[in-house]
Amino acid sequence: ETWLATVGGYILMIEHHNGSFFGLDEAHLASDDPRQRAKIIANVIHIIEKGKPKTTQPSGLVQHTSDLVCVSTSNDLLATLLRVSADSQGSIAARLLTFHVPKDRPYGMLKVVPSKFNSSGEAIDAINAAITRHHGASSLQFMKEMVKMRSLDHDRLISIIQRKSEEMLTALEIDPSDGIARRRAKPYALAYAATHLGRLWGVLPKMDAVGSYKAAFVEIWKWTIPSAQ
């Protein structure tokens, strides 16, 4: 999706992607005016974090809540575009993460370019096309399997999520006493637990087909810096 939209447009996009992945491209497009851009980005972050807009709905109308993962691209840190004050840097660092792809990676996010493609851009375009073609299918299957397991063996489901989450936090070498670091790493831990369940349920490919999921999360964590920096 694009940052070139109204606040109402963002709300509709968030509702459309609710319970799934929400990608926004190029934050500078939010507005040509830096101050207005900062207000728009802050408002969208608030909606995503709190699960609902700042304004209350008129009486009688349904208040929709959202729960999703958002990734935004930009040439600058979102905190820079937000003009974050020193007092707010700690809270922003816990909520916004920046993935800085190392310059020594010639293919960007891709480690290698599959042989059937001529460039990393072509490979990424194919990935985006596949996402569009199968929009929401894997997420829907995952949620169906989770609901089924929750009803049949709730304790085992919780145990797997807790065990795999802690396994990832250990792999990331997170200090248990560092609240902000643990909060920043929590999405990685839950996502890693989800990949384990996805493989268990046949939603995601096995490691012998795609490699180590854990190694991929650890690698990307190395690229992660607090957005307040």
Side-chain angles (χ1 to χ4, degrees):
E1 304 285 2
T2 177
W3 273 102
L4 186 59
T6 63
V7 172
Y10 296 126
I11 293 174
L12 290 176
M13 286 189 281
I14 289 171
E15 290 182 359
H16 177 68
H17 292 277
N18 195 12
S20 185
F21 172 81
F22 179 38
L24 283 166
D25 189 36
E26 191 47 66
H28 281 88
L29 294 177
S31 176
D32 292 332
D33 178 15
R35 291 184 179 180
Q36 183 63 18
R37 182 193 305 137
K39 290 181 180 179
I40 292 172
I41 294 174
N43 198 356
V44 172
I45 290 174
H46 175 91
I47 295 171
I48 293 171
E49 182 192 359
K50 301 299 183 183
K52 56 186 178 181
K54 290 182 179 180
T55 55
T56 56
Q57 295 283 3
S59 178
L61 294 182
V62 177
Q63 174 72 65
H64 295 285
T65 57
S66 59
D67 187 9
L68 47 76
V69 173
C70 179
V71 174
S72 171
T73 65
S74 61
N75 293 325
D76 300 298
L77 301 180
L78 281 184
T80 301
L81 301 180
L82 282 168
R83 301 183 173 187
V84 177
S85 66
D87 293 338
S88 302
Q89 286 185 1
S91 60
I92 289 294
R95 291 167 173 80
L96 300 181
L97 301 177
T98 294
F99 306 108
H100 181 75
V101 181
K103 294 182 179 180
D104 60 358
R105 290 179 64 93
Y107 308 121
M109 289 294 294
L110 300 180
K111 188 173 183 178
V112 297
V113 176
S115 58
K116 64 184 293 185
F117 301 108
N118 296 316
S119 67
S120 58
E122 188 177 312
I124 292 296
D125 287 342
I127 292 173
N128 289 333
I131 292 172
T132 301
R133 189 165 59 251
H134 303 289
H135 179 69
S138 57
S139 298
L140 181 60
Q141 183 61 32
F142 182 90
M143 287 187 282
K144 285 181 177 178
E145 295 293 339
M146 176 169 282
V147 171
K148 183 191 301 183
M149 187 172 183
R150 184 179 185 276
S151 65
L152 296 175
D153 198 342
H154 176 267
D155 291 343
R156 180 170 178 246
L157 174 62
I158 297 301
S159 175
I160 290 174
I161 294 174
Q162 290 177 337
R163 177 165 50 86
K164 289 298 176 178
S165 293
E166 288 301 322
E167 183 179 315
M168 177 50 58
L169 292 174
T170 299
L172 299 180
E173 300 179 347
I174 301 301
D175 182 353
S177 65
D178 189 337
I180 289 182
R182 193 172 178 86
R183 183 170 181 175
R184 290 173 58 226
K186 186 177 179 180
Y188 291 78
L190 291 175
Y192 176 66
T195 66
H196 177 81
L197 292 170
R199 281 174 280 143
L200 184 67
W201 298 329
V203 178
L204 293 175
K206 303 294 184 182
M207 287 193 295
D208 56 2
V210 296
S212 171
Y213 285 82
K214 182 188 292 185
F217 279 105
V218 171
E219 180 71 14
I220 295 177
W221 175 255
K222 294 177 182 177
W223 305 349
T224 308
I225 59 173
S227 288
Q229 288 185 357

